[in-house]
Amino acid sequence: MDRRRLLRSSALALAATGLLLSGCTGGGSSSSASATPSKGGSGQGARSAPTAELKPYYTQKPSWRKCGTSGFECATLKAPLDYAKPGGDSVELAVARKKATGPGSRLGSLHVNPGGPGGSAVDFLQSYAGIGYPAPVRARYDMVAMDPRGVARSEPVECLDGKGMDAYTRVDQTPDDQRDEAELLAALKDFAAGCEKKSGTVLPHVSTVNAARDMDVFRAVLGDAKLSYVGASYGTFLGATYAELFPARTGRLVLDGAMDPSLSARQLNRDQTEGFQTAFRAFATDCVKRKDCPLGRTSAEDAGSRLKAFFTRVDGKPVATGQSRELTESLATTGVLAAMYDEAAWPQLRVALTDAMAGRGAGLLTLADAYYERETDGTYSNLMFANAAVNCLDAPPAFPDEREVRAALPDFEEVSPAFGRNFAWAALNCAYWPTPATGTPHRIEAKGAAPILVVGTTRDPATPYKWSRSLASQLSSGRLLTYDGDGHTAYGRGSDCIDTAINTYLIEGTPPQDGKRCR
């Protein structure tokens, strides 16, 4: 979603996959007639050969070259800039693979996407999936990935330089008066204007539907009759969209940490507010039992009150970090939210909060910088830019103007006293977006698709568990697998029960019983 986003696995022990917060959307896009799903969920062309104009894309031969660490290969594919005009301009898409290692017969290609929108699938493949997925899966599948259009190496959306992003991420996102509010609105408008200035050509064409159609081109180029796929967080919406467009070409799909495509952007943001409050409550319940807890030793409710009071103090007086940048309330909030993605980051958060409350803000700033993918040299990845570009195209804005945000504040604050105002104001970003939304929220049924495994985590902050339940019920062939635990997503996070169920499905094609629960 907008001001928050995906976190990948790192030395900070943050989550391996993630979903950007604020202004998040989950609707399908219909930016071209040929991409619009028909009633009942079957996509146009799902059972037919590509048109004559699309055939050159489906039959292209990539030139693979060695890249990254040993065993990986990279290439570039072409796809139409606009699928409604396939004879027009094209975009270049970065792809990568690592061939099946054996033993056992090859099962085809397994596509992976870590979420976002805006997360680099190629980086995820090379840093984790291609080397860290269970060995039996890597033995039988070529592990493959494509950076979606607008992301990383695939026609990346650009908006602000490093200094501009530093200013943008520190802006007060809980305005207390008209001056604060004016500064926040100006920052949101400047961000959108920068995207239009630097990426105006590609901006109208980075919808999730277009990314799903690109995946179908990649599937054909690899020689696979059907798409097998593991998508996390936003990657679940991308996978579900593919199944809606191409149900007959849908193979073994795992959608881990699911989004609910039927919800409006406003409802998604409110649900996420609740999700992060649930995750914080779990952190606080654990924290107050420990001697080093900086939020007191009484109760989770008291810890939440202390955290809110800390945010209020930082709002009035930012904390020094030993660097040229201070820890503002906005950055402090981001640092805390970042640690909610993975319970393994809770010890680091306790230390960072302890230090920040004593006037040393470097630890929380480090967490926030990792969340925003800020490098030590002051540069940023294009994660935030792509995130806003995709979300603002996929569904109408959560709020059309600041007056509706003000009216919604009590509702958001009731859900989360510590984070509610932040989430509500952050959801305003798409109101100023230069390209109108082409998608609308709707149920995805994907009638005719093979069994689709939807995985939900009960205390997931970024993709609340009820979203997974909802998506599994919408999909005509959906199967729900539940992880009773903390953190964002479930696959590869330590549950043998979850991993065994997913591995069995990917390798043998047998999904677990609908409703299976794991710890």
Side-chain angles (χ1 to χ4, degrees):
M1 331 239 154
D2 158 8
R3 297 291 300 264
R4 312 260 176 248
R5 99 195 27 73
L6 155 80
L7 271 179
R8 287 173 295 172
S9 185
S10 72
L12 298 171
L14 300 178
T17 53
L19 183 67
L20 311 188
L21 310 180
S22 314
C24 85
T25 63
S29 169
S30 55
S31 58
S32 65
S34 60
T36 305
S38 63
K39 293 180 180 179
S42 294
Q44 301 276 347
R47 295 179 175 85
S48 60
T51 64
E53 288 183 305
L54 283 175
K55 189 173 181 180
Y57 293 107
Y58 273 78
T59 58
Q60 61 188 300
K61 303 295 182 184
S63 179
W64 293 99
R65 65 187 185 281
K66 294 181 179 180
C67 65
T69 56
S70 177
F72 288 95
E73 297 177 299
C74 294
T76 301
L77 295 185
K78 289 187 178 295
L81 174 67
D82 185 348
Y83 275 94
K85 302 175 182 177
D89 292 338
S90 62
V91 292
E92 292 191 348
L93 306 173
V95 298
R97 71 180 180 186
K98 186 178 184 183
K99 292 185 178 180
T101 58
S105 59
R106 178 181 174 276
L107 293 173
S109 306
L110 182 63
H111 299 241
V112 296
N113 183 280
S120 170
V122 170
D123 285 349
F124 179 70
L125 176 72
Q126 294 183 332
S127 65
Y128 177 65
I131 56 178
Y133 266 29
V137 173
R138 291 183 285 115
R140 304 290 297 279
Y141 283 99
D142 291 348
M143 303 293 296
V144 305
M146 168 188 286
D147 279 350
R149 55 175 62 203
V151 175
R153 303 167 186 82
S154 295
E155 309 284 349
V157 172
E158 298 294 342
C159 302
L160 301 176
D161 62 15
K163 290 184 178 180
M165 280 297 296
D166 280 348
Y168 181 69
T169 58
R170 76 184 304 277
V171 167
D172 188 355
Q173 207 160 262
T174 58
D176 300 312
D177 52 35
Q178 289 185 342
R179 180 179 177 179
D180 285 351
E181 189 174 305
E183 289 180 354
L184 174 59
L185 300 187
L188 294 174
K189 293 174 182 178
D190 288 346
F191 183 94
C195 298
E196 183 178 29
K197 180 179 179 180
K198 294 187 176 185
S199 303
T201 299
V202 73
L203 221 53
H205 305 288
V206 294
S207 70
T208 297
V209 158
N210 283 330
R213 293 185 67 90
D214 293 342
M215 282 207 307
D216 195 54
V217 171
F218 190 23
R219 171 204 59 78
V221 167
L222 291 169
D224 295 320
K226 294 190 175 185
L227 181 106
S228 293
Y229 173 84
V230 177
S233 201
Y234 160 78
T236 65
F237 178 46
L238 179 59
T241 300
Y242 181 91
E244 180 179 40
L245 291 171
F246 307 105
R249 300 174 193 167
T250 297
R252 300 170 187 177
L253 262 62
V254 177
L255 308 181
D256 184 10
M259 289 183 65
D260 183 347
S262 71
L263 299 179
S264 68
R266 175 171 172 170
Q267 187 61 51
L268 285 169
N269 276 273
R270 187 188 183 282
D271 284 355
Q272 272 201 321
T273 307
E274 186 176 11
F276 274 88
Q277 181 64 28
T278 296
F280 174 75
R281 188 180 301 112
F283 161 76
T285 299
D286 176 81
C287 184
V288 298
K289 299 175 183 177
R290 300 177 182 275
K291 294 181 180 180
D292 65 343
C293 182
L295 300 176
R297 301 289 305 282
T298 55
S299 67
E301 290 73 20
D302 183 54
S305 297
R306 289 171 182 259
L307 180 68
K308 184 177 180 180
F310 165 69
F311 287 155
T312 300
R313 291 198 304 273
V314 178
D315 186 28
K317 185 179 180 180
V319 179
T321 64
Q323 306 174 30
S324 59
R325 295 182 301 144
E326 294 179 312
L327 181 74
T328 64
E329 180 192 15
S330 178
L331 288 168
T333 303
T334 300
V336 172
L337 293 174
M340 296 300 100
Y341 281 79
D342 190 342
E343 65 271 26
W346 291 358
Q348 182 182 0
L349 177 59
R350 293 197 301 271
V351 173
L353 276 172
T354 299
D355 287 348
M357 290 177 172
R360 302 181 298 274
L364 276 182
L365 184 63
T366 296
L367 284 165
D369 284 351
Y371 190 72
Y372 286 123
E373 292 196 351
R374 184 188 190 274
E375 301 296 336
T376 55
D377 63 1
T379 60
Y380 288 75
S381 77
N382 93 310
L383 179 62
M384 282 192 71
F385 312 142
N387 179 261
V390 175
N391 282 326
C392 294
L393 201 59
D394 274 352
F399 297 107
D401 55 47
E402 62 273 20
R403 288 171 296 183
E404 291 212 11
V405 176
R406 293 190 211 109
L409 286 176
D411 183 34
F412 275 68
E413 288 186 285
E414 182 180 3
V415 171
S416 176
F419 307 126
R421 289 177 62 85
N422 185 288
F423 274 70
W425 281 106
L428 185 60
N429 71 307
C430 289
Y432 309 112
W433 203 247
T435 54
T438 56
T440 56
H442 65 279
R443 292 173 58 85
I444 291 182
E445 299 180 6
K447 291 182 179 178
I452 298 174
L453 183 57
V454 180
V455 188
T457 298
T458 55
R459 293 180 294 281
D460 191 315
T463 51
Y465 176 62
K466 61 184 177 181
W467 290 0
S468 293
R469 290 204 316 265
S470 179
L471 179 60
S473 69
Q474 292 172 42
L475 292 166
S476 62
S477 59
R479 303 285 184 90
L480 178 64
L481 174 63
T482 297
Y483 173 51
D484 185 1
D486 297 293
H488 185 39
T489 72
Y491 190 36
R493 286 175 47 81
S495 169
D496 289 339
C497 175
I498 290 288
D499 291 354
T500 298
I502 293 175
N503 294 344
T504 299
Y505 171 56
L506 290 174
I507 296 171
E508 300 178 10
T510 304
Q513 182 179 0
D514 186 31
K516 180 179 176 64
R517 297 182 70 91
C518 295
R519 286 186 173 273

